[in-house]
Short mmCIF file of all heavy atoms in Angstrom, two decimals:
data_model
loop_
_atom_site.label_atom_id
_atom_site.label_comp_id
_atom_site.label_asym_id
_atom_site.label_seq_id
_atom_site.Cartn_x
_atom_site.Cartn_y
_atom_site.Cartn_z
N MET A 1 28.92 6.45 -8.72
CA MET A 1 27.59 6.23 -8.27
C MET A 1 26.91 7.44 -7.53
O MET A 1 27.60 7.98 -6.80
CB MET A 1 27.53 4.90 -7.36
CG MET A 1 26.14 4.63 -6.98
SD MET A 1 25.87 3.35 -5.61
CE MET A 1 26.73 2.00 -6.36
N GLU A 2 25.68 7.69 -7.91
CA GLU A 2 25.00 8.84 -7.30
C GLU A 2 24.49 8.50 -5.92
O GLU A 2 23.90 7.39 -5.64
CB GLU A 2 23.88 9.36 -8.10
CG GLU A 2 23.26 10.67 -7.66
CD GLU A 2 22.16 10.91 -8.53
OE1 GLU A 2 22.16 10.63 -9.82
OE2 GLU A 2 21.26 11.77 -8.11
N GLU A 3 24.55 9.34 -4.93
CA GLU A 3 24.23 9.09 -3.54
C GLU A 3 22.79 9.56 -3.41
O GLU A 3 22.54 10.72 -3.74
CB GLU A 3 25.22 9.71 -2.48
CG GLU A 3 24.72 9.47 -1.12
CD GLU A 3 25.68 10.18 -0.11
OE1 GLU A 3 26.74 10.62 -0.55
OE2 GLU A 3 25.33 10.25 1.08
N TRP A 4 21.94 8.89 -2.76
CA TRP A 4 20.50 9.31 -2.49
C TRP A 4 20.42 9.39 -0.95
O TRP A 4 20.84 8.50 -0.26
CB TRP A 4 19.55 8.17 -2.95
CG TRP A 4 19.32 8.26 -4.39
CD1 TRP A 4 20.22 8.06 -5.44
CD2 TRP A 4 18.11 8.52 -5.09
NE1 TRP A 4 19.65 8.23 -6.68
CE2 TRP A 4 18.33 8.47 -6.54
CE3 TRP A 4 16.85 8.67 -4.64
CZ2 TRP A 4 17.28 8.59 -7.42
CZ3 TRP A 4 15.76 8.77 -5.58
CH2 TRP A 4 16.08 8.82 -6.95
N ILE A 5 19.85 10.43 -0.58
CA ILE A 5 19.53 10.63 0.88
C ILE A 5 18.01 10.73 1.07
O ILE A 5 17.37 11.50 0.49
CB ILE A 5 20.18 11.90 1.49
CG1 ILE A 5 21.75 11.83 1.33
CG2 ILE A 5 19.90 12.09 2.89
CD1 ILE A 5 22.52 13.04 1.66
N MET A 6 17.46 9.80 1.89
CA MET A 6 16.06 9.82 2.22
C MET A 6 15.77 10.26 3.54
O MET A 6 16.50 9.93 4.52
CB MET A 6 15.58 8.39 2.11
CG MET A 6 15.68 7.79 0.58
SD MET A 6 15.15 6.11 0.48
CE MET A 6 13.39 6.46 0.51
N ARG A 7 14.84 11.29 3.63
CA ARG A 7 14.47 11.82 4.92
C ARG A 7 13.07 11.69 5.06
O ARG A 7 12.22 11.79 4.10
CB ARG A 7 14.87 13.21 4.99
CG ARG A 7 16.27 13.44 5.04
CD ARG A 7 16.74 15.00 5.24
NE ARG A 7 18.11 15.16 5.40
CZ ARG A 7 18.87 15.41 4.26
NH1 ARG A 7 18.34 15.55 3.04
NH2 ARG A 7 20.14 15.56 4.34
N PRO A 8 12.52 11.35 6.22
CA PRO A 8 10.99 11.14 6.30
C PRO A 8 10.27 12.52 6.28
O PRO A 8 10.78 13.51 6.67
CB PRO A 8 10.86 10.57 7.77
CG PRO A 8 12.15 11.01 8.49
CD PRO A 8 13.16 11.12 7.54
N ILE A 9 9.03 12.43 5.81
CA ILE A 9 8.30 13.59 5.60
C ILE A 9 7.03 13.46 6.62
O ILE A 9 6.09 14.30 6.49
CB ILE A 9 7.86 13.96 4.13
CG1 ILE A 9 6.94 12.86 3.63
CG2 ILE A 9 9.00 14.15 3.29
CD1 ILE A 9 6.20 13.19 2.33
N GLY A 10 7.09 12.53 7.27
CA GLY A 10 5.96 12.11 8.17
C GLY A 10 6.14 10.77 8.95
O GLY A 10 7.20 10.11 8.71
N TYR A 11 5.22 10.46 9.67
CA TYR A 11 5.30 9.08 10.34
C TYR A 11 3.87 8.44 10.46
O TYR A 11 2.89 9.10 10.45
CB TYR A 11 5.73 9.38 11.89
CG TYR A 11 7.13 10.10 11.91
CD1 TYR A 11 7.16 11.46 11.87
CD2 TYR A 11 8.26 9.26 11.90
CE1 TYR A 11 8.45 12.02 11.80
CE2 TYR A 11 9.53 9.90 11.83
CZ TYR A 11 9.62 11.28 11.85
OH TYR A 11 10.80 11.80 11.82
N VAL A 12 3.96 7.11 10.52
CA VAL A 12 2.70 6.35 10.55
C VAL A 12 2.66 5.86 12.07
O VAL A 12 3.64 5.28 12.57
CB VAL A 12 2.71 5.06 9.68
CG1 VAL A 12 1.45 4.27 9.92
CG2 VAL A 12 2.70 5.60 8.24
N ARG A 13 1.54 6.13 12.77
CA ARG A 13 1.45 5.73 14.15
C ARG A 13 0.15 4.97 14.31
O ARG A 13 -0.77 5.06 13.79
CB ARG A 13 1.28 7.07 15.00
CG ARG A 13 2.35 8.02 14.76
CD ARG A 13 2.76 8.69 16.00
NE ARG A 13 3.73 9.82 15.69
CZ ARG A 13 4.96 9.71 15.70
NH1 ARG A 13 5.56 8.55 16.04
NH2 ARG A 13 5.67 10.80 15.46
N ASN A 14 0.39 3.83 15.23
CA ASN A 14 -0.68 2.92 15.62
C ASN A 14 -0.24 2.18 16.82
O ASN A 14 0.75 2.38 17.47
CB ASN A 14 -0.99 1.98 14.59
CG ASN A 14 0.08 1.16 14.03
OD1 ASN A 14 0.82 0.53 15.00
ND2 ASN A 14 0.34 0.88 12.75
N ALA A 15 -1.26 1.34 17.34
CA ALA A 15 -0.95 0.68 18.61
C ALA A 15 -0.23 -0.66 18.46
O ALA A 15 -0.10 -1.43 19.47
CB ALA A 15 -2.26 0.52 19.33
N VAL A 16 0.00 -1.06 17.28
CA VAL A 16 0.61 -2.40 16.94
C VAL A 16 2.03 -2.41 17.51
O VAL A 16 2.91 -1.57 17.24
CB VAL A 16 0.51 -2.72 15.47
CG1 VAL A 16 1.19 -4.13 15.19
CG2 VAL A 16 -0.82 -2.69 14.97
N ARG A 17 2.30 -3.51 18.35
CA ARG A 17 3.66 -3.61 18.90
C ARG A 17 4.34 -4.89 18.48
O ARG A 17 5.60 -4.98 18.77
CB ARG A 17 3.54 -3.41 20.37
CG ARG A 17 3.08 -2.14 20.90
CD ARG A 17 4.10 -1.06 20.45
NE ARG A 17 3.54 0.29 20.78
CZ ARG A 17 3.22 1.19 19.87
NH1 ARG A 17 3.31 0.84 18.54
NH2 ARG A 17 2.66 2.31 20.25
N GLU A 18 3.59 -5.86 17.87
CA GLU A 18 4.18 -7.20 17.38
C GLU A 18 3.67 -7.41 15.95
O GLU A 18 2.64 -7.12 15.64
CB GLU A 18 3.69 -8.26 18.40
CG GLU A 18 4.20 -8.07 19.77
CD GLU A 18 3.79 -9.24 20.68
OE1 GLU A 18 3.38 -10.25 20.09
OE2 GLU A 18 3.78 -9.07 21.97
N LYS A 19 4.54 -8.05 15.26
CA LYS A 19 4.22 -8.51 13.92
C LYS A 19 3.05 -9.53 13.97
O LYS A 19 2.92 -10.20 14.93
CB LYS A 19 5.43 -9.19 13.19
CG LYS A 19 6.52 -8.30 12.91
CD LYS A 19 7.49 -9.08 12.05
CE LYS A 19 8.66 -8.26 11.70
NZ LYS A 19 9.62 -9.00 10.97
N LYS A 20 2.13 -9.36 12.98
CA LYS A 20 1.18 -10.50 12.84
C LYS A 20 0.85 -10.65 11.40
O LYS A 20 0.94 -9.70 10.60
CB LYS A 20 -0.01 -10.11 13.57
CG LYS A 20 -0.71 -8.78 13.27
CD LYS A 20 -1.93 -8.50 14.22
CE LYS A 20 -2.50 -7.17 14.01
NZ LYS A 20 -3.65 -7.00 14.78
N ASP A 21 0.39 -11.88 11.08
CA ASP A 21 0.09 -12.23 9.59
C ASP A 21 -1.41 -12.18 9.35
O ASP A 21 -1.81 -12.29 8.19
CB ASP A 21 0.72 -13.51 9.27
CG ASP A 21 2.12 -13.57 9.26
OD1 ASP A 21 2.77 -12.54 8.98
OD2 ASP A 21 2.79 -14.51 9.53
N VAL A 22 -2.19 -12.17 10.33
CA VAL A 22 -3.69 -12.27 10.26
C VAL A 22 -4.37 -11.12 10.99
O VAL A 22 -3.72 -10.47 11.86
CB VAL A 22 -4.26 -13.52 10.71
CG1 VAL A 22 -3.71 -14.71 9.88
CG2 VAL A 22 -3.90 -13.84 12.23
N ALA A 23 -5.55 -10.73 10.62
CA ALA A 23 -6.32 -9.69 11.31
C ALA A 23 -5.74 -8.29 11.18
O ALA A 23 -6.06 -7.47 12.06
CB ALA A 23 -6.74 -10.20 12.71
N TRP A 24 -4.71 -8.06 10.38
CA TRP A 24 -4.11 -6.71 10.38
C TRP A 24 -4.94 -5.65 9.82
O TRP A 24 -4.87 -4.51 10.13
CB TRP A 24 -2.76 -6.70 9.65
CG TRP A 24 -2.97 -7.23 8.23
CD1 TRP A 24 -2.68 -8.46 7.74
CD2 TRP A 24 -3.24 -6.39 7.01
NE1 TRP A 24 -2.96 -8.53 6.52
CE2 TRP A 24 -3.26 -7.25 5.92
CE3 TRP A 24 -3.64 -5.07 6.88
CZ2 TRP A 24 -3.61 -6.92 4.68
CZ3 TRP A 24 -3.95 -4.65 5.39
CH2 TRP A 24 -3.80 -5.54 4.43
N GLY A 25 -6.08 -6.06 9.04
CA GLY A 25 -7.08 -5.13 8.48
C GLY A 25 -7.96 -4.51 9.69
O GLY A 25 -8.59 -3.50 9.31
N GLU A 26 -7.84 -5.01 10.87
CA GLU A 26 -8.58 -4.47 11.99
C GLU A 26 -7.86 -3.28 12.69
O GLU A 26 -8.53 -2.56 13.40
CB GLU A 26 -8.87 -5.54 13.05
CG GLU A 26 -9.77 -6.66 12.49
CD GLU A 26 -9.77 -7.87 13.50
OE1 GLU A 26 -9.27 -7.75 14.54
OE2 GLU A 26 -10.48 -8.82 13.09
N ASP A 27 -6.66 -3.16 12.26
CA ASP A 27 -5.78 -2.10 13.01
C ASP A 27 -5.88 -0.77 12.29
O ASP A 27 -6.15 -0.76 11.13
CB ASP A 27 -4.32 -2.45 12.88
CG ASP A 27 -3.95 -3.81 13.67
OD1 ASP A 27 -4.63 -3.81 14.82
OD2 ASP A 27 -3.30 -4.57 13.24
N VAL A 28 -5.96 0.30 13.00
CA VAL A 28 -6.18 1.64 12.39
C VAL A 28 -4.82 2.41 12.61
O VAL A 28 -4.33 2.49 13.87
CB VAL A 28 -7.28 2.45 13.15
CG1 VAL A 28 -7.38 3.82 12.63
CG2 VAL A 28 -8.64 1.64 12.91
N SER A 29 -4.42 3.03 11.61
CA SER A 29 -3.13 3.86 11.75
C SER A 29 -3.44 5.26 11.49
O SER A 29 -4.32 5.58 10.71
CB SER A 29 -2.01 3.38 10.70
OG SER A 29 -1.72 2.04 11.10
N GLU A 30 -2.69 6.10 11.93
CA GLU A 30 -2.73 7.63 11.72
C GLU A 30 -1.40 8.02 11.07
O GLU A 30 -0.36 7.76 11.50
CB GLU A 30 -2.94 8.34 13.06
CG GLU A 30 -3.10 9.75 12.82
CD GLU A 30 -3.40 10.43 14.24
OE1 GLU A 30 -4.42 10.26 14.79
OE2 GLU A 30 -2.49 11.19 14.60
N ILE A 31 -1.59 8.72 9.95
CA ILE A 31 -0.42 9.33 9.26
C ILE A 31 -0.25 10.71 9.70
O ILE A 31 -1.16 11.71 9.60
CB ILE A 31 -0.63 9.29 7.70
CG1 ILE A 31 -0.80 7.88 7.36
CG2 ILE A 31 0.47 9.96 7.07
CD1 ILE A 31 -1.33 7.65 5.94
N GLU A 32 0.98 11.00 10.22
CA GLU A 32 1.25 12.37 10.87
C GLU A 32 2.30 12.91 9.85
O GLU A 32 3.45 12.56 9.85
CB GLU A 32 1.92 12.13 12.27
CG GLU A 32 2.20 13.47 12.85
CD GLU A 32 2.68 13.04 14.29
OE1 GLU A 32 2.05 12.49 14.99
OE2 GLU A 32 3.87 13.50 14.54
N LEU A 33 1.81 13.76 8.91
CA LEU A 33 2.66 14.48 7.87
C LEU A 33 3.29 15.79 8.54
O LEU A 33 2.57 16.59 9.14
CB LEU A 33 1.91 14.79 6.67
CG LEU A 33 2.60 15.33 5.45
CD1 LEU A 33 3.48 14.29 4.95
CD2 LEU A 33 1.57 15.76 4.35
N CYS A 34 4.66 16.01 8.21
CA CYS A 34 5.18 17.32 8.63
C CYS A 34 4.49 18.36 7.91
O CYS A 34 4.09 18.36 6.74
CB CYS A 34 6.66 17.30 8.26
SG CYS A 34 7.65 16.03 9.06
N GLU A 35 4.15 19.41 8.71
CA GLU A 35 3.39 20.63 8.22
C GLU A 35 3.89 21.22 6.79
O GLU A 35 3.15 21.66 5.95
CB GLU A 35 3.45 21.77 9.19
CG GLU A 35 2.49 22.90 8.93
CD GLU A 35 1.03 22.50 8.99
OE1 GLU A 35 0.64 21.60 9.79
OE2 GLU A 35 0.29 23.05 8.16
N ALA A 36 5.21 21.27 6.63
CA ALA A 36 5.70 21.77 5.29
C ALA A 36 5.18 21.07 4.09
O ALA A 36 5.29 21.59 2.97
CB ALA A 36 7.27 21.60 5.38
N TYR A 37 4.75 19.79 4.30
CA TYR A 37 4.31 18.97 3.13
C TYR A 37 2.68 19.00 3.08
O TYR A 37 2.23 18.27 2.09
CB TYR A 37 4.82 17.67 3.14
CG TYR A 37 6.37 17.66 3.09
CD1 TYR A 37 7.06 17.54 4.32
CD2 TYR A 37 6.99 17.84 1.89
CE1 TYR A 37 8.53 17.59 4.30
CE2 TYR A 37 8.39 17.87 1.93
CZ TYR A 37 9.16 17.71 3.14
OH TYR A 37 10.48 17.80 3.09
N ALA A 38 2.09 19.64 3.95
CA ALA A 38 0.58 19.46 4.05
C ALA A 38 -0.21 19.80 2.69
O ALA A 38 -1.09 19.29 2.39
CB ALA A 38 0.03 20.33 5.16
N SER A 39 0.37 20.97 1.98
CA SER A 39 -0.34 21.22 0.72
C SER A 39 -0.25 20.21 -0.23
O SER A 39 -1.09 20.20 -1.21
CB SER A 39 0.30 22.64 0.24
OG SER A 39 1.72 22.34 -0.12
N GLY A 40 0.59 19.24 -0.19
CA GLY A 40 0.72 18.14 -1.11
C GLY A 40 -0.52 17.18 -0.99
O GLY A 40 -0.66 16.35 -1.87
N LEU A 41 -1.28 17.39 -0.02
CA LEU A 41 -2.44 16.55 0.24
C LEU A 41 -3.74 17.11 -0.32
O LEU A 41 -4.81 16.48 -0.28
CB LEU A 41 -2.62 16.15 1.71
CG LEU A 41 -1.51 15.35 2.43
CD1 LEU A 41 -1.84 15.30 3.79
CD2 LEU A 41 -1.28 14.03 1.74
N THR A 42 -3.64 18.34 -1.00
CA THR A 42 -4.85 18.97 -1.48
C THR A 42 -5.54 18.01 -2.50
O THR A 42 -4.87 17.43 -3.40
CB THR A 42 -4.37 20.22 -2.22
OG1 THR A 42 -3.79 21.08 -1.25
CG2 THR A 42 -5.55 20.94 -2.84
N GLY A 43 -6.81 17.83 -2.24
CA GLY A 43 -7.63 16.90 -3.19
C GLY A 43 -7.65 15.48 -2.77
O GLY A 43 -8.31 14.66 -3.36
N LEU A 44 -6.85 15.08 -1.75
CA LEU A 44 -6.88 13.66 -1.33
C LEU A 44 -8.20 13.16 -0.93
O LEU A 44 -8.51 11.94 -1.04
CB LEU A 44 -5.78 13.50 -0.16
CG LEU A 44 -5.59 12.03 0.22
CD1 LEU A 44 -4.98 11.21 -0.95
CD2 LEU A 44 -4.64 12.00 1.42
N GLU A 45 -9.10 14.01 -0.40
CA GLU A 45 -10.39 13.54 0.04
C GLU A 45 -11.16 12.92 -1.02
O GLU A 45 -12.23 12.35 -0.83
CB GLU A 45 -11.12 14.74 0.81
CG GLU A 45 -11.56 15.84 -0.19
CD GLU A 45 -10.52 16.86 -0.46
OE1 GLU A 45 -9.33 16.75 -0.04
OE2 GLU A 45 -10.90 17.92 -0.94
N HIS A 46 -10.89 13.24 -2.35
CA HIS A 46 -11.59 12.58 -3.47
C HIS A 46 -11.19 11.30 -3.83
O HIS A 46 -11.73 10.75 -4.77
CB HIS A 46 -11.46 13.61 -4.68
CG HIS A 46 -11.80 14.99 -4.39
ND1 HIS A 46 -13.23 15.42 -4.22
CD2 HIS A 46 -11.22 16.21 -4.27
CE1 HIS A 46 -13.42 16.62 -4.02
NE2 HIS A 46 -12.01 17.25 -4.03
N PHE A 47 -10.20 10.67 -3.10
CA PHE A 47 -9.79 9.38 -3.41
C PHE A 47 -10.04 8.42 -2.25
O PHE A 47 -10.29 8.81 -1.15
CB PHE A 47 -8.16 9.35 -3.60
CG PHE A 47 -7.88 10.17 -4.86
CD1 PHE A 47 -7.56 11.49 -4.73
CD2 PHE A 47 -7.68 9.55 -6.10
CE1 PHE A 47 -7.26 12.25 -5.86
CE2 PHE A 47 -7.30 10.24 -7.16
CZ PHE A 47 -7.06 11.59 -7.07
N SER A 48 -10.34 7.07 -2.63
CA SER A 48 -10.69 6.18 -1.54
C SER A 48 -9.43 5.57 -0.87
O SER A 48 -9.50 4.96 0.17
CB SER A 48 -11.46 5.05 -2.25
OG SER A 48 -10.65 4.40 -3.23
N HIS A 49 -8.13 5.68 -1.56
CA HIS A 49 -7.03 5.01 -1.05
C HIS A 49 -5.75 5.92 -1.30
O HIS A 49 -5.79 6.83 -2.10
CB HIS A 49 -6.81 3.75 -1.83
CG HIS A 49 -7.71 2.61 -1.56
ND1 HIS A 49 -8.94 2.65 -2.06
CD2 HIS A 49 -7.59 1.57 -0.83
CE1 HIS A 49 -9.59 1.58 -1.71
NE2 HIS A 49 -8.89 0.89 -0.95
N ALA A 50 -4.83 5.85 -0.36
CA ALA A 50 -3.47 6.43 -0.57
C ALA A 50 -2.46 5.39 -0.34
O ALA A 50 -2.61 4.51 0.50
CB ALA A 50 -3.38 7.51 0.52
N ILE A 51 -1.41 5.41 -1.10
CA ILE A 51 -0.38 4.53 -1.00
C ILE A 51 0.81 5.18 -0.20
O ILE A 51 1.28 6.16 -0.59
CB ILE A 51 0.16 4.14 -2.45
CG1 ILE A 51 -0.98 3.39 -3.21
CG2 ILE A 51 1.49 3.14 -2.23
CD1 ILE A 51 -0.66 3.04 -4.63
N ILE A 52 1.18 4.57 0.93
CA ILE A 52 2.07 5.03 1.82
C ILE A 52 3.44 4.29 1.50
O ILE A 52 3.42 3.07 1.89
CB ILE A 52 1.77 5.05 3.23
CG1 ILE A 52 0.27 5.64 3.35
CG2 ILE A 52 2.78 5.74 4.08
CD1 ILE A 52 0.27 7.13 2.82
N LEU A 53 4.44 4.86 1.20
CA LEU A 53 5.75 4.23 0.87
C LEU A 53 6.75 4.40 2.09
O LEU A 53 6.80 5.59 2.59
CB LEU A 53 6.44 4.53 -0.36
CG LEU A 53 5.51 4.41 -1.67
CD1 LEU A 53 6.26 4.91 -2.94
CD2 LEU A 53 5.23 2.88 -1.83
N PHE A 54 7.37 3.37 2.32
CA PHE A 54 8.57 3.54 3.35
C PHE A 54 9.77 2.92 2.97
O PHE A 54 9.77 1.99 2.14
CB PHE A 54 8.02 3.14 4.74
CG PHE A 54 7.75 1.61 4.67
CD1 PHE A 54 8.58 0.77 5.16
CD2 PHE A 54 6.51 1.15 4.39
CE1 PHE A 54 8.37 -0.64 5.31
CE2 PHE A 54 6.19 -0.17 4.40
CZ PHE A 54 7.05 -1.00 4.83
#
């Protein structure tokens, strides 16, 4: 079996400290991407959404 190693390329930060099932759309998060990957965001401003996987 092949081994996969996953390392973060950034972090999602917000003020949420407890799980909740409602009103999560009111929360604002900030994505902090490591500088080495910043060029991968070129053109992102032309899109309305981004999918963040974790």
Side-chain angles (χ1 to χ4, degrees):
M1 180 187 303
E2 186 176 339
E3 180 179 352
W4 283 59
I5 299 172
M6 297 178 71
R7 293 185 179 91
I9 64 167
Y11 299 92
V12 177
R13 307 220 188 264
N14 60 42
V16 176
R17 297 295 172 247
E18 296 182 21
K19 287 183 179 181
K20 60 182 175 177
D21 292 331
V22 295
W24 56 266
E26 298 172 0
D27 298 317
V28 175
S29 296
E30 182 176 291
I31 299 169
E32 186 177 302
L33 187 65
C34 297
E35 187 66 34
Y37 300 99
S39 65
L41 297 178
T42 301
L44 186 64
E45 69 274 9
H46 301 292
F47 293 88
S48 61
H49 293 75
I51 299 172
I52 310 303
L53 303 177
F54 62 94

